[in-house]
C-alpha cells in the first residue's frame, strides 16, 4: 500500500502567517509541530517512507525537504503550478503504477488535525481489504458529525454494500458543499450524513480510470507525462504539461461523477482547520475566552483570537470577538464571524497590487 | 519676548507609533511635518530663534537637533528626566532671567494643532501689553468651545479685568479637568467656559515667584541650578537636581493655586491631539468614514482608523469603528471609544515586562 500526502496548496486562509512562501502545512501553527510533520508521523507503522509520496509546489521544495525527514528524495514530488487535488492524485497514481504496477493508494491532505493517530491507522489499515472486495470503487473516509457544522462538506450515505472487519462500507449517494445552519441541522438530525474528511483510498488503476472518463484533459496530460516520470526529464515535462491541466479538486472533478463511490466511517476526531476561528478552537483559551499565541497582551477583552509571529507584539484594549494576526510585515484584523472571508481579502490584496505581502 | 517650546514628554498616548525613542512632537503623525517643526514655524515673525528655547528629554537630543533647524545650540535644553511641565517652565524662566533679566515669556506645547498660525501670532503678540498692564499675573489662552468636548480641560472665566486692543482679559475663576458629557454640555451652554489650550504667558519673575510660593521644592531646586545654568556644569547639575523635582504640570502645580490668573481668548482652531481618535479627525476619511494612513486595506469596513508605519500593511475585513495602529514591531487594536485608554495599556505593558516595545 502507498500513501500520498497532498501539500501543494497556497494556504491563503491563514494569511498573514501563511504566505505564498510558506503555506499552512509547513507552519508550526499550533505551537507544536508543522502540520505536515504531524501528518507523516501519523503514517508511521502503516506505510513506510519508501512507499510514501509527498506532493508540494516546487517553490516550497526547500522548506518541505527540511520537514519530510527520511522521505527518499524521489518521493518528494514538485508540482510546477498550483492545480488543486485532482491533478495531484492523478500524477501520484501514475508515478506509483510506473514504479510498482497497480497498487492500493491512500491519499491524505497534509494540514488536518486528527486524534488519535492510532484510530486513523486502524481505519486506513482496512483500505486494502476494502479495495480487494470492490476494486473499481473509490473510497472516502466519513466522520460522524458531532454538531451541525457549517464549515465542512457533507456526504450522504446510502445502503451498506459490504463490511470490513466490523465496519460497514456504505454506498455514497451524494456530496454536499458547506451548508447553511438550517441545512446543517437537518443533516445532523437525519443521521445519514458524514463530514467529508478529504481522505481517500482506491486502487491506482481505479482512480486513473475514473480520471480518464471524468476529466479526459487531465487523463491525457498524465498519459503524456508517463514516459518522463522518474527520469531527468520529469521536471521539464511537468513544467510543459501542468499549465494545461484543469484546476479542480478530487471531490468536484472525480468523485462526484464516478460510478462507484463508497464511504467508511473514521472513528477519530478530525478537523480540516480551515479558518483562524477553527484553529483557535484547538488552542487553549484564558478565562475570558481569549486565545493568544506569541507575544500578546489583551487588556479588558474577551473572545479574541490574538496571534503574533516573529516577536511582533499584538496588544488589544477593550475589544471583543476579534481575530488579530500580525507579523513584522503585516497585520490582519477581522471578526470571529468573518474568518472564512480571509481568502476574499487576499484576493483583494492581489487586485490592489499588494502581492509583496502575500 | 522669549518663547519656550515644551517637548519633554513621553508620548505614550500614540503608542505604537510614538515610542520612548520618538514621542509625538517628533513624529510626522499627520503626514505633513513633525508637530514640533510646525510649532516652531508658527513662531516665525513673532520670536526669533535666538530668543526661543526648546526643552526636550535628553534621550531625544539627536532627533530634536535634526528638527529644530537654526535654533542656537544653547537654546536646545536637555532635561535628564521626565518631569511634566512645571519644572520645564521653571527651568526655562530661570535660564531666561540669567541671560537677560526678567522678560515676557510665552510657553507652548510642541505637539498641538493650531490654524491659522497668523491668529496665534496675533494673540501672542498681545502678550507684552498684557503683562505690562498686570505684571504679577499668569496668563493662559482660552479657546471658545465649538462643541461640548469631553476630551479637553475647561477654564471658567469671571469678570473682565482689562482689555488689550479690542480683546478683553478675564479673571480666571477655576480650572476643570476633562468633564463627563453632561457636564461638558452644561459648560458649553453656559458660555462662560473656555477650553484650556495649555498655552501660557507671563513675566519670568511672576512665574518664578508663583513657583516659589506654590511649589517650594521646585523653587529650591531651580535656585540650586541657577549658578550652573549655561555653563559646562549644567548637565551635571540637572542630572543631580532633576530627580528631586516634583512630577507635576503647570496647571495643577502652579496655575490653580496662583493669586492672579487671567485668560485671553485665542481666535484660532486648536486641538491638543490627545488620542488616536482625535488625530483621525484631522486626517481625510473615505466615503465609509475610514481614516487610513500608510499601507492599509479596509475591506467592508466603516468608521475605522487604520495607521500603518514603515511599510507594514494593515488589512481589515468586516470591522467597524476600530483603531488599528501597526509598525513592524507592534500592533495596537482598540475601539474609537476607548482611544483615551491607550496610556493604561502602556502602563500594563510596563508591568508585564514588555518595555522593549515601548
Amino acid at each position: 500500500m502507498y500513501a500520498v500526502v497532498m501539500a501543494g496548496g497556497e494556504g491563503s486562509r491563514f494569511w498573514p502567517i501563511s504566505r505564498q512562501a510558506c503555506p499552512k502545512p509547513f507552519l508550526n501553527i499550533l505551537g507544536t509541530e508543522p502540520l505536515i510533520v504531524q501528518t507523516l508521523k501519523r503514517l508511521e507503522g502503516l506505510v513506510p517512507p519508501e512507499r510514501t509520496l509527498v506532493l508540494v509546489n516546487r517553490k516550497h521544495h526547500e522548506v518541505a525537504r527540511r520537514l519530510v525527514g527520511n522521505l527518499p528524495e524521489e518521493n518528494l514530488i514538485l508540482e510546477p503550478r498550483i492545480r488543486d487535488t485532482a491533478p495531484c492524485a492523478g500524477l501520484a497514481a501514475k508515478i506509483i503504477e510506473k514504479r510498482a504496477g497497480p497498487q492500493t493508494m491512500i491519499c491524505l491532505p497534509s494540514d488536518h488535525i486528527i486524534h488519535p493517530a492510532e484510530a486513523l491507522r486502524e481505519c486506513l489499515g482496512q483500505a486494502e481489504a476494502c479495495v480487494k472486495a470492490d476494486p473499481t470503487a473509490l473510497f472516502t473516509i466519513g466522520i460522524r458529525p458531532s454538531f451541525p457544522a457549517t464549515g465542512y462538506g457533507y456526504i450522504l450515505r446510502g445502503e451498506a454494500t459490504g463490511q470490513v472487519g466490523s465496519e460497514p462500507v456504505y454506498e455514497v449517494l451524494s456530496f454536499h458543499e458547506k451548508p447553511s445552519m438550517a441545512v446543517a441541522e437537518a443533516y445532523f438530525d437525519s443521521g445519514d450524513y458524514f463530514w467529508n474528511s478529504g481522505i481517500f483510498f482506491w486502487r491506482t488503476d481505479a482512480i486513473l480510470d475514473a480520471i480518464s472518463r471524468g476529466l479526459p484533459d487531465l487523463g491525457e496530460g498524465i498519459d503524456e507525462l508517463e514516459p518522463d516520470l522518474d527520469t531527468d526529464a520529469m521536471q521539464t515535462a511537468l513544467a510543459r504539461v501542468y499549465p494545461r491541466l484543469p484546476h479542480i479538486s478530487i471531490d468536484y472533478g472525480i468523485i462526484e461523477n464516478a460510478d462507484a463511490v463508497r464511504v467508511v466511517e473514521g472513528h477519530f476526531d478530525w478537523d480540516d482547520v480551515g479558518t483562524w476561528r477553527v484553529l483557535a478552537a484547538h488552542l487553549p483559551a484564558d478565562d475570558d475566552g481569549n486565545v493568544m499565541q506569541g507575544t500578546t497582551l489583551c487588556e479588558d477583552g474577551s473572545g479574541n483570537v490574538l496571534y503574533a509571529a516573529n516577536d511582533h507584539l499584538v496588544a488589544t484594549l477593550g475589544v471583543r470577538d476579534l481575530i488579530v494576526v500580525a507579523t513584522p510585515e503585516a497585520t490582519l484584523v477581522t471578526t470571529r464571524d468573518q474568518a472564512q472571508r480571509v481568502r476574499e481579502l487576499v484576493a483583494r490584496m492581489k487586485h490592489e497590487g499588494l502581492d509583496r505581502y502575500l
Side-chain angles (χ1 to χ4, degrees), chain A:
Chain A
M1 184 162 79
Y2 277 71
V4 172
V5 173
M6 301 177 290
E10 278 191 300
S12 58
R13 288 177 297 184
F14 284 84
W15 183 86
I17 299 292
S18 71
R19 297 185 61 173
Q20 289 179 349
C22 194
K24 180 177 153 217
F26 310 116
L27 288 171
N28 179 10
I29 206 160
L30 288 164
T32 49
E33 274 180 321
L35 294 169
I36 194 172
V37 173
Q38 298 186 24
T39 300
L40 290 169
K41 280 197 177 166
R42 281 194 289 267
L43 294 175
E44 282 173 13
L46 182 72
V47 183
E50 306 78 58
R51 290 207 302 271
T52 300
L53 302 188
V54 176
L55 285 88
V56 304
N57 190 282
R58 74 175 168 199
K59 67 184 165 189
H60 305 130
H61 186 186
E62 254 179 74
V63 57
R65 183 65 259 173
R66 242 189 358 258
L67 296 176
V68 296
N70 58 353
L71 191 85
E73 188 59 42
E74 67 273 19
N75 287 7
L76 182 61
I77 311 296
L78 306 179
E79 297 182 272
R81 295 278 180 109
I82 301 278
R83 275 295 175 276
D84 217 327
T85 51
C88 173
L91 173 62
K94 199 59 148 185
I95 292 172
I96 293 167
E97 283 213 345
K98 186 170 181 185
R99 289 186 188 175
Q103 297 287 328
T104 301
M105 158 183 165
I106 61 179
C107 204
L108 311 98
S110 57
D111 55 0
H112 291 180
I113 293 177
I114 288 170
H115 296 289
E118 186 49 41
L120 174 74
R121 283 192 292 268
E122 208 165 283
C123 176
L124 292 174
Q126 300 169 334
E128 292 206 272
C130 288
V131 302
K132 194 164 179 186
D134 206 350
T136 63
L138 307 180
F139 294 81
T140 176
I141 310 266
I143 308 293
R144 190 175 297 273
S146 52
F147 67 100
T150 56
Y152 305 137
Y154 282 75
I155 297 169
L156 174 59
R157 66 181 164 92
E159 298 298 313
T161 60
Q163 190 157 328
V164 281
S166 59
E167 199 59 40
V169 177
Y170 299 99
E171 188 185 5
V172 170
L173 296 182
S174 54
F175 285 83
H176 299 271
E177 263 303 278
K178 295 172 185 174
S180 66
M181 181 49 82
V183 172
E185 282 170 350
Y187 290 172
F188 182 71
D189 293 342
S190 85
D192 295 331
Y193 289 80
F194 287 117
W195 289 336
N196 181 358
S197 73
I199 306 172
F200 305 98
F201 58 87
W202 41 54
R203 281 177 56 99
T204 48
D205 45 358
I207 186 72
L208 288 169
D209 187 53
I211 287 173
S212 292
R213 282 183 295 115
L215 292 170
D217 287 354
L218 176 57
E220 283 163 29
I222 291 170
D223 287 342
E224 181 181 337
L225 285 168
E226 207 257 349
D228 294 320
L229 297 178
D230 285 332
T231 73
D232 291 347
M234 181 165 164
Q235 283 310 313
T236 314
L238 286 170
R240 186 183 70 243
V241 172
Y242 244 70
R244 283 188 258 137
L245 300 186
H247 201 131
I248 197 161
S249 70
I250 292 173
D251 299 73
Y252 277 129
I254 308 173
I255 296 272
E256 290 189 12
N257 303 308
D259 289 336
V261 185
R262 309 281 178 256
V263 59
V264 179
E265 184 176 349
H267 298 278
F268 45 80
D269 290 335
W270 165 90
D271 194 342
D272 67 357
V273 209
T275 68
W276 280 110
R277 179 186 190 156
V278 169
L279 177 72
H282 295 277
L283 295 168
D286 71 9
D287 291 347
D288 297 313
N290 299 298
V291 170
M292 295 182 273
Q293 288 276 301
T295 312
T296 57
L297 187 67
C298 182
E299 178 77 2
D300 182 20
S302 63
N304 298 292
V305 180
L306 310 184
Y307 203 107
N310 296 336
D311 211 35
H312 187 92
L313 169 69
V314 167
T316 69
L317 174 63
V319 297
R320 316 250 173 275
D321 298 323
L322 291 184
I323 292 172
V324 181
V325 185
T327 72
E329 291 77 35
T331 296
L332 162 72
V333 181
T334 186
T335 64
R336 282 179 94 109
D337 287 350
Q338 296 180 86
Q340 77 288 352
R341 294 178 62 201
V342 171
R343 285 178 130 165
E344 249 177 73
L345 186 74
V346 166
R348 170 90 185 277
M349 285 170 61
K350 282 181 188 163
H351 183 72
E352 304 268 327
L354 294 167
D355 305 65
R356 66 188 185 280
Y357 295 100
L358 295 177

